[in-house]
């Protein structure tokens, strides 16, 4: 069974940093690109970032470019999102999602975690 | 690419047919258009990809159609568990974008 479990969400002040983690099981993690997608409470979905299987290519939404960094540790079946200079508009549930196609960034999400809530507030 | 879904809310009864629309601001390359379903408090679930291909385990009452800039998700006979929010999403190239969602309510 494919499982993705996010953690690290909490309440944080504007301007501070936070690191999210996602541990996966049930598939060969190092064969697939991975993504972060977020959803502000009661709002729609927004793709945030993606990373290829070998970490060679990382992409970001314009709204987080230069502030967020995606990374992965294939030995630990883990995906990370380092979030710096947080803003109130970054408040959202953050989901990690598996790319359906394979190791390269295809942008199609076939399995999602349950999400972790980041709240940016003073 | 901006995706616009309509209607915002669709009120139907179990057993009825649902038709949800997704319009793109420009042509979606290779029909890289997906639909996902989200229930309250849950993660999204992939239903349709490639505009018309059902994901693994998705019942055949769900079907997708369309090309270019106009796409449709049809649920032939609504089951009680189908009442949820539906999003279209394009994966023709980053940034990958979602529509604002259609809420299907009883």
């Amino acid at each position: 069974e494919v499982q993705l479990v996010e953690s690290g969400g909490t309440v944080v002040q504007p301007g501070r940093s936070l690191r999210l983690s996602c541990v996966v099981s049930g598939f060969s993690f190092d064969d697939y690109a991975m993504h972060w997608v977020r959803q502000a409470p009661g709002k729609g979905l927004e793709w945030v970032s993606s990373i290829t299987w070998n970490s060679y290519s990382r992409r970001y939404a314009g709204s987080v470019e230069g502030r967020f960094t995606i990374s992965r540790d294939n030995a630990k079946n883990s995906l990370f999102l380092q979030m710096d200079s947080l803003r109130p508009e970054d408040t959202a549930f953050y989901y990690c999602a598996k790319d359906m196609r394979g190791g390269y960034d295809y942008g199609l999400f076939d399995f999602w975690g349950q999400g972790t809530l980041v709240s940016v507030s003073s | 690419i901006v995706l616009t879904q309509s209607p915002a809310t669709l009120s139907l009864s179990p057993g009825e047919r649902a038709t949800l629309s997704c319009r793109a601001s420009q042509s979606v390359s290779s029909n890289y258009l997906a639909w996902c379903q989200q229930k309250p408090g849950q993660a999204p679930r992939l239903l349709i990809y490639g505009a018309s291909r059902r994901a693994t385990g998705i019942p055949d009452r769900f079907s997708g159609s369309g090309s270019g800039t106009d796409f449709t998700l049809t649920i032939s006979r609504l089951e009680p568990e189908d009442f949820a929010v539906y999003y279209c999403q394009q994966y023709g190239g980053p940034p990958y974008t979602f529509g604002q969602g259609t809420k299907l309510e009883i």
Side-chain angles (χ1 to χ4, degrees):
Chain A
E1 180 189 7
V2 173
Q3 288 193 324
L4 301 88
V5 180
E6 303 93 339
S7 62
T10 188
V11 179
V12 61
Q13 293 180 326
R16 304 298 289 263
S17 298
L18 197 62
R19 190 191 197 211
L20 304 183
S21 300
C22 172
V23 177
V24 314
S25 60
F27 66 97
S28 184
F29 182 65
D30 54 6
D31 281 343
Y32 291 92
M34 296 292 295
H35 302 263
W36 287 99
V37 179
R38 69 183 179 183
Q39 184 173 37
K43 303 297 183 183
L45 298 163
E46 179 189 16
W47 170 79
V48 173
S49 182
S50 65
I51 187 168
T52 53
W53 70 278
N54 55 8
S55 303
Y56 280 11
S57 176
R58 310 178 198 214
R59 291 172 163 159
Y60 300 93
S63 57
V64 306
E65 180 89 53
R67 299 187 300 122
F68 289 12
T69 303
I70 191 171
S71 63
R72 64 192 293 163
D73 184 338
N74 287 345
K76 296 182 177 179
N77 284 358
S78 295
L79 177 72
F80 306 101
L81 187 67
Q82 177 67 39
M83 304 187 295
D84 299 323
S85 303
L86 282 161
R87 304 168 180 169
E89 55 265 36
D90 295 319
T91 294
F93 288 93
Y94 284 75
Y95 297 97
C96 66
K98 172 186 167 291
D99 200 292
M100 180 173 174
R101 183 81 171 257
Y104 294 96
D105 180 3
Y106 189 48
L108 179 60
F109 320 119
D110 61 345
F111 288 97
W112 301 61
Q114 287 302 304
T116 188
L117 179 60
V118 173
S119 180
V120 184
S121 173
S122 54
Chain B
I1 296 176
V2 177
L3 300 177
T4 303
Q5 293 185 239
S6 61
T9 304
L10 185 58
S11 299
L12 293 170
S13 300
E16 291 192 296
R17 180 185 186 90
T19 303
L20 288 67
S21 174
C22 176
R23 176 163 290 180
S25 60
Q26 58 190 118
S27 185
V28 177
S29 82
S30 303
N31 289 339
Y32 284 164
L33 192 286
W35 292 90
C36 64
Q37 175 195 67
Q38 187 177 33
K39 297 179 181 179
Q42 296 186 19
R45 178 175 74 142
L46 179 66
L47 300 175
I48 300 287
Y49 65 98
S52 61
R53 303 180 69 173
R54 273 188 301 276
T56 302
I58 302 304
D60 60 8
R61 64 179 182 274
F62 291 91
S63 63
S65 63
S67 63
T69 60
D70 289 290
F71 300 89
T72 300
L73 174 69
T74 302
I75 310 172
S76 59
R77 283 180 57 86
L78 286 165
E79 298 286 343
E81 62 267 27
D82 298 337
F83 292 90
V85 179
Y86 292 83
Y87 295 95
C88 59
Q89 180 233 330
Q90 67 81 21
Y91 52 103
Y96 308 112
T97 52
F98 294 84
Q100 82 281 15
T102 289
K103 182 179 182 181
L104 179 55
E105 63 177 24
I106 299 178

